[in-house]
Amino acid sequence: MKYISTRGEAPSLSFEDVVLTGLASDGGLYVPETLPKFSKEEIASWAGLEYRELALKIMTPFVANEIPEADLKNLIDKSYDSFRHEAIAPLVQTGHNEWILELFQGPTLAFKDFALQFLGHLLDYVLKKRDQKVVIMGATSGDTGSAAIEGCRDCENVDIFILHPYQRVSEVQRRQMTTVIEKNVHNIALEGNFDDCQNMVKASFADQSFLPEGRQLVAVNSINWARIMAQIVYYFYAGLALGAPHRAISFSVPTGNFGDIFAGYLANQMGLPIEQLVIATNSNDILHRCISDNDHSKKPLIHSLSPSMDIMVSSNFERMLFDLYGRDGAQIKKLMEDFKSGSMVLSDEALEKARELFSSYRLDDNETIDVIREVFEKTEYLLDPHTAIGVQAARETRRSSETPMVCLSTAHPAKFPEAVKQAGQTEDPALPHHMSDLFEREEAYEVIANDMEKVHGFIKSNINA
């Protein structure tokens, strides 16, 4: 299988090359030239498969013949061995035909573990085969960083540098990153917001001249195709558990960068019958404004109780636009240039096509706290603030009560004690046993000004020979 850029001017690449490349040379994002399609009969035959077995079925077509099936199976098995729950992605019922898909059972208590545990093992496999060393540079609004570090801490051929916005992630999120004391792990607290971190990473990929000879940057953010690919699996897993393909399923997804919900869109394109995908946002609601009012304009970023969604530039939305505009790279390039100036407007045709599958809703912090309190009072189930937004967005926009609605729970509530306390809990939610000493561990991170030259200087001086 070949991969092409959303802007149409970069060369097509193989799977392994796309994993190591990240952003395309024309500034676009790589997507498969064609998507694999599964028949209703084939999907039905997967009912009852264990999560790892299902992952192998879904990922194999994307990898084609580049990784032998036995090796891919081994990579998948190792990736999910560190998950605490035997089901990997368990479902919990919280209402009539309303389900929570717990995606926080991995080592860093966030859905990012599904993709980044796999990506870490995949990178190790590819780099050893090529006898190559790389530098990972990533931006995080909270969860990507810790999951990437956990996935790559033992990679011999990787130096990893993660930028997080200084004092704009929760203490648990920060400590999950900064207490990993390994010679190849480096944390940068950037004096800015998440979009500043993301913009610096994108600019660094465009000009990698600051790196030593023979090194290249590799992306761990959701611009990396392998992450999206791994996330498709749990949509099929939840769907099969609730009666697909013989009945349609709906999903509500708390999202900022559009990667997680884009994986759901791909699952639908590949044959999973999805009736509705709900884009759930906090006050940083550019995606909700776009779907509801065709207002995709930048506004000042608001620091919220759901910091992983404090994003105004949703990178993966470009992949969606590529399909909405008939895979016309020239039109996408023009849209992205418009957006760089502050705003872009979708065509009526593209917006209508998006609304066939997508709905959207936004909640502010006060509404989020109310949902956490209400759900706990009724069910004794404790939501993190991101999941709470997903639950309420589903309830407000649901098209059919007869269709199962699955709300993706993207993080463990222990990562966001401030929101949980404001919702009326008298004590911080307990961290799982393997993380119970988190607040006693040594931390290491560098606070750096929002200055490209200073960040590049720090990276260059800390790359291992």
Side-chain angles (χ1 to χ4, degrees):
M1 179 179 286
K2 289 293 184 181
Y3 292 81
I4 58 174
S5 169
T6 52
R7 301 192 191 178
E9 295 177 354
S12 61
L13 296 180
S14 66
F15 174 74
E16 286 190 4
D17 285 336
V18 108
V19 168
L20 296 178
T21 299
L23 272 178
S25 58
D26 58 4
L29 302 179
Y30 277 105
V31 293
E33 196 168 39
T34 56
L35 268 183
K37 307 274 188 178
F38 302 120
S39 68
K40 185 175 179 179
E41 292 72 25
E42 189 172 9
I43 295 171
S45 73
W46 298 340
L49 286 184
E50 190 263 349
Y51 191 91
R52 296 171 182 84
E53 297 171 326
L54 182 63
L56 183 62
K57 298 279 189 187
I58 290 166
M59 290 189 197
T60 295
F62 292 109
V63 175
N65 299 317
E66 291 186 64
I67 300 176
E69 184 174 310
D71 290 352
L72 181 59
K73 180 181 183 302
N74 185 47
L75 291 174
I76 291 169
D77 288 348
K78 287 193 296 186
S79 299
Y80 300 111
D81 280 348
S82 57
F83 280 59
R84 299 185 315 282
H85 199 291
E86 192 174 336
I88 310 297
L91 282 160
V92 176
Q93 189 166 9
T94 50
H96 171 66
N97 248 348
E98 178 185 274
W99 305 81
I100 302 293
L101 182 63
E102 292 188 342
L103 300 178
F104 53 72
Q105 300 291 345
T108 72
L109 316 183
F111 80 100
K112 309 288 176 78
D113 288 324
F114 279 84
L116 287 164
Q117 282 294 303
F118 175 71
L119 181 58
H121 290 292
L122 176 64
L123 282 173
D124 216 24
Y125 174 87
V126 172
L127 293 172
K128 282 179 181 176
K129 185 164 74 172
R130 297 186 175 203
D131 192 23
Q132 183 179 350
K133 291 181 182 287
V134 298
V135 175
I136 286 175
M137 185 179 181
T140 185
S141 55
D143 291 329
T144 293
S146 56
I149 287 168
E150 190 64 33
C152 298
R153 63 187 297 174
D154 297 320
C155 295
E156 297 175 8
N157 297 319
V158 169
D159 289 293
I160 181 167
F161 296 82
I162 297 295
L163 284 68
H164 72 265
Y166 182 49
Q167 296 183 334
R168 292 196 176 198
V169 299
S170 77
E171 186 176 6
V172 172
Q173 287 177 311
R174 187 193 75 237
R175 285 180 172 272
Q176 283 185 306
M177 295 185 282
T178 60
T179 57
V180 178
I181 312 298
E182 304 282 0
K183 66 177 183 178
N184 69 325
V185 173
H186 306 278
N187 282 285
I188 297 171
L190 193 74
E191 293 179 326
N193 59 38
F194 171 75
D195 285 342
D196 295 323
C197 297
Q198 184 165 252
N199 289 337
M200 190 168 291
V201 169
K202 286 183 176 180
S204 300
F205 270 85
D207 180 4
Q208 301 185 24
S209 59
F210 68 97
L211 293 175
E213 188 177 349
R215 299 291 175 97
Q216 71 175 72
L217 290 180
V218 168
V220 289
N221 285 53
S222 52
I223 61 172
N224 192 308
W225 170 255
R227 276 194 55 179
I228 302 293
M229 178 183 77
Q231 290 170 307
I232 295 169
V233 179
Y234 47 70
Y235 285 93
F236 276 91
Y237 187 72
L240 284 161
L242 295 174
H246 305 296
R247 70 192 303 200
I249 314 290
S250 294
F251 293 88
S252 180
V253 188
T255 190
N257 223 4
F258 206 77
D260 203 10
I261 198 164
F262 182 67
Y265 163 80
L266 292 176
N268 183 57
Q269 296 293 106
M270 292 163 66
L272 184 68
I274 297 179
E275 180 178 287
Q276 180 184 9
L277 285 171
V278 182
I279 299 168
T281 76
N282 62 17
S283 296
N284 299 295
D285 60 353
I286 188 168
L287 291 169
H288 167 60
R289 286 186 284 112
C290 180
I291 295 298
S292 60
D293 297 321
N294 203 3
D295 173 15
H296 198 87
S297 61
K298 295 177 187 176
K299 292 187 177 180
L301 205 65
I302 298 168
H303 183 41
S304 78
L305 290 173
S306 46
S308 298
M309 295 155 68
D310 290 348
I311 296 170
M312 196 60 65
V313 180
S314 301
S315 293
N316 283 288
F317 196 52
E318 179 170 338
R319 284 180 161 127
M320 183 75 227
L321 291 172
F322 186 55
D323 274 10
L324 293 178
Y325 280 82
R327 306 202 124 201
D328 185 336
Q331 287 196 68
I332 300 307
K333 183 179 179 182
K334 173 66 168 58
L335 277 173
M336 292 300 109
E337 286 170 355
D338 290 346
F339 184 52
K340 202 170 183 180
S341 303
S343 179
M344 67 178 173
V345 177
L346 273 58
S347 69
D348 291 344
E349 183 184 0
L351 193 59
E352 184 180 346
K353 198 183 297 184
R355 286 172 174 168
E356 289 174 7
L357 182 63
F358 292 94
S359 307
S360 68
Y361 198 77
R362 77 180 285 279
L363 273 76
D364 62 23
D365 279 352
N366 290 331
E367 293 167 319
T368 302
I369 290 165
D370 287 344
V371 176
I372 296 172
R373 182 186 300 115
E374 178 194 340
V375 171
F376 186 79
E377 286 175 353
K378 287 185 176 179
T379 67
E380 294 191 15
Y381 189 86
L382 189 59
L383 303 172
D384 94 287
H386 306 79
T387 308
I389 290 171
V391 168
Q392 191 62 21
R395 292 175 176 179
E396 295 287 346
T397 65
R398 193 167 182 173
R399 294 175 183 172
S400 169
S401 61
E402 296 177 6
T403 303
M405 174 63 78
V406 178
C407 305
L408 271 58
S409 184
T410 53
H412 192 290
K415 300 188 81 164
F416 305 97
E418 183 184 349
V420 170
K421 276 193 170 179
Q422 287 190 36
Q425 297 296 309
T426 56
E427 297 180 1
D428 289 351
L431 288 162
H433 178 71
H434 78 279
M435 212 176 283
S436 59
D437 66 341
L438 181 66
F439 293 94
E440 301 162 22
R441 299 175 190 173
E442 176 191 354
E443 282 192 273
Y445 64 98
E446 193 83 11
V447 180
I448 301 179
N450 186 11
D451 181 294
M452 182 87 74
E453 192 173 329
K454 289 180 179 177
V455 171
H456 285 177
F458 176 80
I459 292 174
K460 191 172 182 178
S461 62
N462 282 282
I463 292 173
N464 292 302

